[in-house]
Amino acid sequence: MKSLPSASELQALVDNTYQQFHALPGGENASYIPYLASVPSDLAALVIVTATGDIFQAGDCEYSFAIESISKVATLALLMEDVGPETVREKIGAEPTGLPFNSVLALCEHQDKPLSPLVNAGAMASVSLLKADSPEERWQRILDMQRRITTGKLTLSEEINQSEQTTNFHNRGIAWLLYAAGNCFCDPMEACEVYTRQCSTLVTCRDLAVMAATLANLGENPVSGEQVMSAENVAPLLAEMTMEGLYDYSGDWAFEVGLPGKSGVGGGLLAVAPGKLGIAAFSPPLDESGNSVRGQRMIAEVAKALNLNIYR
Ligand code: GLU
């Protein structure tokens, strides 16, 4: 394997890429969650964390934003620890839906089986399948994993949580459909409520890059040194990310960039270069699929410059 460029070269790459693309036009903040519509659209950040824990960053990397769908990665990591990847595959799935992240049609077409733990239906099913005796335990276990897979300081935003819990009617409908088909493994409103909380924690772009670097480093967080998930669960987790990490753009992303990734409607996006590094970007304006416009471009440029495409 070719080694990475020097630290100064990596920092220059991050600085130049950020400078070139942090103000790229296009896209709009998500507006179906009131809080997200109010986040300043000109924020942007780009961070690389290597598998050995070196950090290179530019832009608004200390700004805290809603983790949203990227929380699904931490919950899936935890679920794989609880029940193993094969059970995840059997009960939830490992296929792309080819449809938007909250699609009811995707459920209807497959006997209400979610297909992917990285869309809303599959994420609520994942929450419901975690080992927990109470809603509070379910939530605390997820928050604990979010902290261990990043840098340990994540907190729930009461403001975001309130904004989402009072508007998440569509997700509640999905949870009931899952339950009716036997694909929700706890009370469906508990699954939806805890899932909504997991989307409402605050992260920085650096937190997301540490999460990506942890996956690049076979489940050992390169900043804390903690093994946060089994090394053997990383490959199936990355496979799930390849299939559905960027919603219905995942195939194009694999084609263009060639790295497992995960985005969230808060404007965060991360990508994993196994054995090498994690990259994360943040900027709120989203394209039609729900992926950060600037985030995709910045990560694609870094991946190209470092020749990271795993299919090459
Ligand atoms: N909380 C959001 C929802 O469930 C997350 C969606 C996302 O980031 O894809 O609708």
Side-chain angles (χ1 to χ4, degrees), residues 32-33 68-69 72 101 120 164 171 195 199 247 263-266:
Y32 76 102
I33 297 169
E68 297 300 342
S69 208
K72 291 164 182 158
F101 61 90
N120 288 7
E164 299 210 22
N171 283 343
Y195 161 74
C199 293
Y247 313 119
S263 67
V265 295

Side-chain angles (χ1 to χ4, degrees), residues 78-99:
L78 184 60
L79 183 62
M80 284 187 174
E81 295 301 300
D82 274 7
V83 302
E86 276 308 328
T87 300
V88 172
R89 183 186 189 188
E90 176 206 330
K91 291 192 183 294
I92 298 171
E95 292 291 336
T97 66
L99 287 163

Side-chain angles (χ1 to χ4, degrees), residues 103-132:
S103 174
V104 173
L105 192 59
L107 278 175
C108 296
E109 280 184 356
H110 300 96
Q111 293 79 47
D112 289 333
K113 188 176 173 194
L115 294 195
S116 167
L118 299 181
V119 294
N120 288 7
M124 287 188 277
S126 299
V127 166
S128 77
L129 195 52
L130 288 172
K131 290 184 183 152

Side-chain angles (χ1 to χ4, degrees), residues 257-275:
V257 180
L259 293 179
K262 183 73 197 90
S263 67
V265 295
L269 174 62
L270 59 77
V272 180

